[in-house]
Amino acid sequence: MISRGSNSYSLAMQVAIALAIGGCSEKGRPMTTLAPKSDLAQWIQSLYIQVTIWDGIILAIVISAFVLAVFVFSSRVGEAAPTSAASSDLGLEIAWTLGPTLVLLMISVPTIRTIFRSQPAVAPAGALEIKVVAHQWWWEFDYPDGAKASNEMHIPVNRPIRLELESADIIHSFWVPQLGGKRDVVPGQINELTFVATVPGMYPGQCAEFCGLSHANMRFRTFVDSPDDFAKWDHDQLAGPLATPANNQLAADGAKVFADSPCTTCHMVQGISKGYIGPDLTHFGSRTTLAAGVLQNTPENVAKWIEDPQEIKPGANMPPLLLPGPKLNALVAYLESLK
Ligand code: CUA
């Protein structure tokens, strides 16, 4: 039985969902899955559209039958109740068996085709294979030529990308909505994600599997670069840190603060420290964000992060450094100079 109350509730829900989906425009909402920027995301999008069309047809048939039943075939006041004369109608039974079968086939065939297409067993020819390691709560990207990145992955446009996803601790899920579907990152197992990004730009990503206190703070950015920009970025990463500019005394002082600090236990700066527990800081100053995409990379935010990481990312392994102001400023200047 459908009461008038539940009818208006369901109508309100439908309007709310329509408004919510309508609000998912690309501008200002870059986490949308409805603006595909890779072949994989495009396949998923076209699957959405096909399934939505079939759902729409089913909805139209069901609503029509409902309206017919209510307004045409219902008994009127004063009319005798209809006697059940019909026993069976073979044509009708065949129709409502074949109809749903056909619709299910139309939905399942493209779905299964997309599942297999999105998970090739071997990397496509010429693919750039990147090892992705998920940590509580940050992302490590290791390139085949030795380049390393943390929380900001650069890839070239129009070249197949093969991500090999591993976890350093518990289950996470790699997700860049505009570049394709989620892929779980499971300890003791390597999962792959293969796609070709087709439009240069910056696409935000997010861990999509609850992984503890700072799961929501486990973000990252994917930069899809032109081939030249990617080659330059890759070259810069391999080059080691640029020497601190001679005229930057504050950064030079900060280099000493860094070398004497516990930062070196967990973080690597090539040629200076060998820590590997936290992100590699060799090119920290060239990144746009810090703390796994949570803050913009500005000197104020770096200072705030070093002073109280737990405030920004609860549960993070990084302890507060408790440095006096001048030393903190110097350390920040040094980190920002690591281009
Ligand atoms: Cu990692 Cu949620």
Side-chain angles (χ1 to χ4, degrees):
M1 290 293 284
I2 298 172
S3 71
R4 184 177 291 268
S6 71
N7 256 339
S8 50
Y9 173 74
S10 117
L11 182 69
M13 280 301 288
Q14 285 174 31
V15 171
I17 290 169
L19 286 174
I21 293 172
C24 293
S25 68
E26 192 179 346
K27 212 172 177 189
R29 289 176 191 263
M31 295 297 280
T32 178
T33 56
L34 302 178
K37 299 290 190 290
S38 77
D39 56 350
L40 172 58
Q42 188 60 57
W43 300 335
I44 296 171
Q45 168 93 332
S46 88
L47 198 56
Y48 280 157
I49 292 169
Q50 289 178 62
V51 172
T52 305
I53 289 171
W54 284 108
D55 287 353
I57 292 171
I58 295 167
L59 184 72
I61 293 171
V62 170
I63 296 285
S64 307
F66 176 75
V67 168
L68 272 179
V70 169
F71 293 103
V72 180
F73 293 110
S74 60
S75 58
R76 303 289 183 276
V77 178
E79 253 178 36
T83 52
S84 162
S87 55
S88 72
D89 185 326
L90 187 62
L92 210 53
E93 285 176 20
I94 289 174
W96 69 46
T97 306
L98 281 185
T101 307
L102 189 70
V103 169
L104 283 179
L105 272 177
M106 299 304 276
I107 290 175
S108 62
V109 169
T111 303
I112 292 168
R113 196 197 294 141
T114 305
I115 289 171
F116 280 97
R117 203 178 178 194
S118 69
Q119 305 192 53
V122 291
L128 173 63
E129 296 183 54
I130 304 170
K131 186 168 106 172
V132 180
V133 187
H135 301 256
Q136 278 175 312
W137 291 278
W138 60 283
W139 298 90
E140 175 185 339
F141 303 101
D142 298 325
Y143 291 73
D145 59 5
K148 276 178 172 294
S150 300
N151 302 319
E152 296 194 358
M153 176 172 73
H154 284 251
I155 55 173
V157 71
N158 292 331
R159 178 174 168 190
I161 304 298
R162 174 83 152 185
L163 302 181
E164 293 178 350
L165 304 155
E166 302 178 30
S167 172
D169 35 57
I170 62 172
I171 301 177
H172 303 268
S173 180
F174 183 93
W175 187 37
V176 186
Q178 286 181 269
L179 297 181
K182 296 167 188 168
R183 195 73 93 226
D184 273 3
V185 187
V186 181
Q189 182 176 326
I190 296 175
N191 284 350
E192 282 113 8
L193 189 63
T194 310
F195 61 90
V196 179
T198 49
V199 184
M202 189 284 284
Y203 305 109
Q206 164 75 50
C207 176
E209 179 77 49
F210 180 71
C211 56
L213 211 51
S214 272
H215 154 69
N217 297 323
M218 191 169 166
R219 305 177 207 166
F220 60 103
R221 290 182 163 191
T222 301
F223 291 86
V224 176
D225 298 332
S226 70
D228 286 351
D229 285 351
F230 176 74
K232 183 182 179 306
W233 175 85
D234 190 46
H235 177 265
D236 289 351
Q237 299 302 303
L238 287 171
L242 293 179
T244 300
N247 56 359
N248 192 341
Q249 187 55 47
L250 194 60
D253 294 347
K256 289 193 201 88
V257 176
F258 180 83
D260 295 338
S261 75
C263 308
T264 53
T265 320
C266 296
H267 295 282
M268 176 177 296
V269 172
Q270 276 170 43
I272 292 162
S273 62
K274 291 197 166 72
Y276 58 86
I277 293 171
D280 186 312
L281 301 178
T282 308
H283 297 280
F284 176 81
S286 68
R287 294 183 204 144
T288 61
T289 56
L290 68 133
V294 176
L295 295 174
Q296 294 291 326
N297 188 356
T298 63
E300 297 74 36
N301 283 340
V302 177
K304 208 158 72 172
W305 170 247
I306 294 172
E307 275 190 303
D308 195 355
Q310 302 298 318
E311 171 71 22
I312 293 158
K313 201 192 269 185
N317 280 332
M318 181 156 153
L321 208 51
L322 307 174
L323 281 178
K327 282 192 167 182
L328 179 63
N329 288 342
L331 178 59
V332 170
Y334 169 64
L335 291 172
E336 295 290 31
S337 78
L338 295 171
K339 301 287 185 188

